[in-house]
Amino acid sequence: MDVQLLSVGVSLLMGVLIGTSINLYSRFFRYAPRMLLYVAAPLLGIALAAWYFYLLYQVNYGEVRIYLLLAIVVGYLLYLRLFAKTVTKILDLVEKLVIRTCMLVYSLFYYIIVIPTKAILKVMVSSVMIIGTYTWRIFTAILTLIFKLTGLLYVATKTQHAYRHIKHKWLRRRD
């Protein structure tokens, strides 16, 4: 096969690849911060240029001619005219598929892991609260019984009344 014809074919395909890359770039970096765009756009250009010159080096030892550059432009225009709508539809379909898959995974995680865990934690907290409440009631009942049997309940009650009386007097004096 003629080397020049092969070089033109590579350049045409490279134009189509550049068009596809620009379409993908604009879709993926649609909501990216501006600083990321300042870094990503030149890197894309450098990567595409390096790939093109590597292919040219493999095909015709790296000779760049004006008709090869025109072939890139024609390949890009062919992409825009023939493939852009199809590629955009495919990308839309893939994007919807990825979003729905992520939503499905999130929903499964939420309904299989999060909701049962919350229910188990509620049961555990309720159990601890119930056990704590009854333990406290039993403890206070035992203490009350001990105080009643020893006569300390009368002293504790009188001390509490005296404390409230003194506190009330001090608060009135400050006014």
Side-chain angles (χ1 to χ4, degrees):
M1 182 180 260
D2 188 28
V3 174
Q4 299 303 327
L5 186 60
L6 188 60
S7 299
V8 170
V10 166
S11 296
L12 283 172
L13 286 176
M14 195 62 198
V16 171
L17 179 68
I18 288 172
T20 307
S21 300
I22 290 172
N23 196 351
L24 287 171
Y25 171 80
S26 65
R27 183 170 289 273
F28 284 129
F29 290 97
R30 185 178 3 196
Y31 303 113
R34 191 174 297 267
M35 286 303 294
L36 183 63
L37 294 178
Y38 289 144
V39 173
L43 287 178
L44 176 67
I46 291 169
L48 288 172
W51 179 252
Y52 177 64
F53 287 119
Y54 172 76
L55 289 177
L56 272 185
Y57 185 75
Q58 294 296 320
V59 172
N60 68 357
Y61 305 109
E63 292 181 9
V64 179
R65 308 253 183 210
I66 191 72
Y67 59 87
L68 296 179
L69 297 176
L70 290 174
I72 289 176
V73 172
V74 169
Y76 180 71
L77 294 174
L78 279 173
Y79 167 78
L80 289 178
R81 187 74 176 153
L82 299 177
F83 304 120
K85 289 180 182 178
T86 307
V87 170
T88 304
K89 286 180 183 179
I90 291 171
L91 288 175
D92 287 339
L93 182 67
V94 168
E95 185 178 6
K96 286 179 184 177
L97 183 67
V98 167
I99 288 172
R100 287 186 179 165
T101 303
C102 290
M103 288 176 63
L104 176 68
V105 168
Y106 173 77
S107 297
L108 287 174
F109 175 78
Y110 186 77
Y111 287 112
I112 292 175
I113 305 269
V114 173
I115 290 179
T117 304
K118 285 170 97 176
I120 290 170
L121 286 175
K122 281 183 181 180
V123 168
M124 289 173 57
V125 168
S126 298
S127 300
V128 168
M129 293 299 289
I130 290 170
I131 291 170
T133 301
Y134 286 114
T135 304
W136 179 252
R137 286 183 182 173
I138 292 170
F139 178 71
T140 55
I142 291 172
L143 279 180
T144 305
L145 182 64
I146 291 172
F147 281 150
K148 280 185 181 179
L149 291 176
T150 60
L152 293 174
L153 184 62
Y154 178 74
V155 174
T157 307
K158 289 294 182 182
T159 308
Q160 190 176 17
H161 288 302
Y163 170 74
R164 285 184 187 157
H165 180 68
I166 292 170
K167 182 179 168 187
H168 183 66
K169 272 186 170 182
W170 279 96
L171 288 177
R172 272 194 313 183
R173 283 188 187 172
R174 289 188 180 181
D175 293 339

